């Protein structure tokens, strides 16, 4: 499963132009689910452009309430109504600036705007309640990796984010391993290490939800995935897809990544 996270890029009209270019590049590719996650302002026109194409629509975040006095927030009902299939939850850029609380913000502001394991869990549950598939992100910062805390941090985020879900729900969702130090840096995690941590995520799912959920949950790697490294990363046994930021902004690069996934899926199905 390949998803493009456009982040705060592309106006509505630029987004439409991008998917117009992308649609023919991924047409007919088998064995891979594809989604684009434009900013909220572009969801409606991009979704309309995607009608009939094999590319699903995803949002970049969701609030957990269905409606009410939450100025600026977007509810799962609204996303569903726009035709979203997926929603990214707990991206490190929303858990605080680059995965850790931004110290320059007041505590109040951090409490309201910075996702925590608790708010991620609320959002994941809200997504399921409204039939959206969550792409839940997790990943360690560089200081956490250097302190050899990667496994604890990632397993902790996974356990907390999935708290209270059913095995069936977990089986149907997507978890993205996104080491914070690899995001937007051009420095992707080495494929064997990305594979190891994705395996750890699967093991964590297995312990909490059983074998079937662990087998079926789709685990993506994200962080500086490009058309050049996608094949190697996606060939790893524990990696079922990629969450792509920068390279999803160019139809040619994103198209090559989707093609790589399709080639690998076909090899696996042989
Ligand atoms: P990147 O972003 O591909 O630009 O590193 C990935 C992400 O944050 O999802």
């Amino acid at each position: 499963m390949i998803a493009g996270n456009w982040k705060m890029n592309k106006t509505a009209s630029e987004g439409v132009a991008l998917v117009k270019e992308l649609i023919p590049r991924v047409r007919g590719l088998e064995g891979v689910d594809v989604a684009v996650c434009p900013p909220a302002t572009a969801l409606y026109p991009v979704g309309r452009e995607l009608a009939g194409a094999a590319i699903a629509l995803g949002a970049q975040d969701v609030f957990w309430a269905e409606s009410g006095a939450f100025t600026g927030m977007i509810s799962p009902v609204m996303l569903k109504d726009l035709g979203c299939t997926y929603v990214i939850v707990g991206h490190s850029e929303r858990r605080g600036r680059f995965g850790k609380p931004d110290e320059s913000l007041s505590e109040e502001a951090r409490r309201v705007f910075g996702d925590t394991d608790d708010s991620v869990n609320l959002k994941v549950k809200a997504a399921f309640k409204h039939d959206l598939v969550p792409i839940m992100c997790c990943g360690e910062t560089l200081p956490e990796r250097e302190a050899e805390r990667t496994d604890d941090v990632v397993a902790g985020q996974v356990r907390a984010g999935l708290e209270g879900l059913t095995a069936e729900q977990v089986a149907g969702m997507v978890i993205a391993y996104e080491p914070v130090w690899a995001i937007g840096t051009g420095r992707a995690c080495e494929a064997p290490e990305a594979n190891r941590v994705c395996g750890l995520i699967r093991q964590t799912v297995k312990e909490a939800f059983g074998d079937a959920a662990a087998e079926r949950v789709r685990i993506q790697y994200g962080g500086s995935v490009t058309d050049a490294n996608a094949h190697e990363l996606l060939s790893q046994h524990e990696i079922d897809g990629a969450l792509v930021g920068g390279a999803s902004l160019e139809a040619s690069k994103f198209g090559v990544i989707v093609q790589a996934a399709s080639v690998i899926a076909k090899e696996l199905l042989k």
Side-chain angles (χ1 to χ4, degrees):
M1 143 112 212
I2 306 294
N5 174 11
W6 295 1
K7 309 192 178 183
M8 199 177 71
N9 295 291
K10 304 291 174 188
T11 62
S13 38
E14 288 167 348
V16 167
L18 174 54
V19 290
K20 270 191 177 147
E21 245 193 277
L22 185 61
I23 289 167
R25 288 175 194 268
V26 305
R27 189 173 288 137
L29 294 177
E30 289 172 358
V32 55
D33 288 337
V34 185
V36 291
C37 304
T41 46
L43 283 172
Y44 180 65
V46 167
R48 235 177 10 183
E49 198 60 44
L50 292 177
I55 302 176
L57 187 66
Q60 296 177 11
D61 191 25
V62 64
F63 195 60
W64 53 83
E66 288 170 20
S67 63
F70 303 104
T71 303
M73 295 304 189
I74 298 175
S75 88
V77 181
M78 296 166 180
L79 296 180
K80 194 68 201 172
D81 183 60
L82 284 184
C84 287
T85 302
Y86 296 95
V87 61
I88 297 171
V89 173
H91 191 281
S92 61
E93 287 155 16
R94 298 212 56 96
R95 286 181 188 254
R97 183 179 289 172
F98 305 119
K100 56 181 188 320
D102 183 342
E103 304 297 337
S104 70
L105 293 175
S106 70
E107 215 179 289
E108 178 73 18
R110 271 187 264 155
R111 198 161 59 232
V112 178
F113 294 110
D115 265 324
T116 62
D117 285 339
D118 284 350
S119 67
V120 168
N121 182 242
L122 286 171
K123 291 175 175 190
V124 167
K125 285 178 177 158
F128 275 119
K129 189 166 174 210
H130 296 281
D131 202 22
L132 292 160
V133 178
I135 301 175
M136 187 186 85
C137 303
C138 58
E140 80 289 357
T141 62
L142 190 57
E144 286 164 347
R145 172 160 285 269
E146 285 170 350
E148 297 183 2
R149 293 188 49 227
T150 297
D151 294 13
D152 283 350
V153 168
V154 171
Q157 287 175 341
V158 170
R159 275 194 291 267
L162 303 183
E163 175 84 40
L165 297 183
T166 66
E168 191 58 27
Q169 286 174 322
V170 175
M173 69 182 285
V174 183
I175 301 176
Y177 169 53
E178 297 214 311
V180 178
W181 48 270
I183 295 177
T185 57
R187 185 184 153 204
C189 185
E190 300 277 336
E193 174 61 5
N195 186 57
R196 186 191 71 80
V197 182
C198 289
L200 167 87
I201 293 171
R202 204 178 297 284
Q203 182 60 30
T204 306
V205 167
K206 186 172 170 170
E207 282 159 18
F209 299 95
D211 289 349
E215 204 174 298
R216 279 177 52 209
V217 66
R218 286 172 294 173
I219 303 178
Q220 296 178 317
Y221 167 77
S224 298
V225 175
T226 64
D227 46 340
N229 62 18
H231 189 275
E232 190 192 3
L233 285 160
L234 293 169
S235 301
Q236 304 296 312
H237 179 63
E238 298 288 356
I239 300 180
D240 304 321
L243 183 54
V244 184
S248 73
L249 299 174
E250 286 175 56
S252 56
K253 288 188 180 164
F254 194 64
V256 169
I257 295 169
V258 176
Q259 280 162 20
S262 176
V263 166
I264 291 160
K266 265 190 225 149
E267 282 165 12
L268 286 175
L269 291 172
K270 258 188 209 158

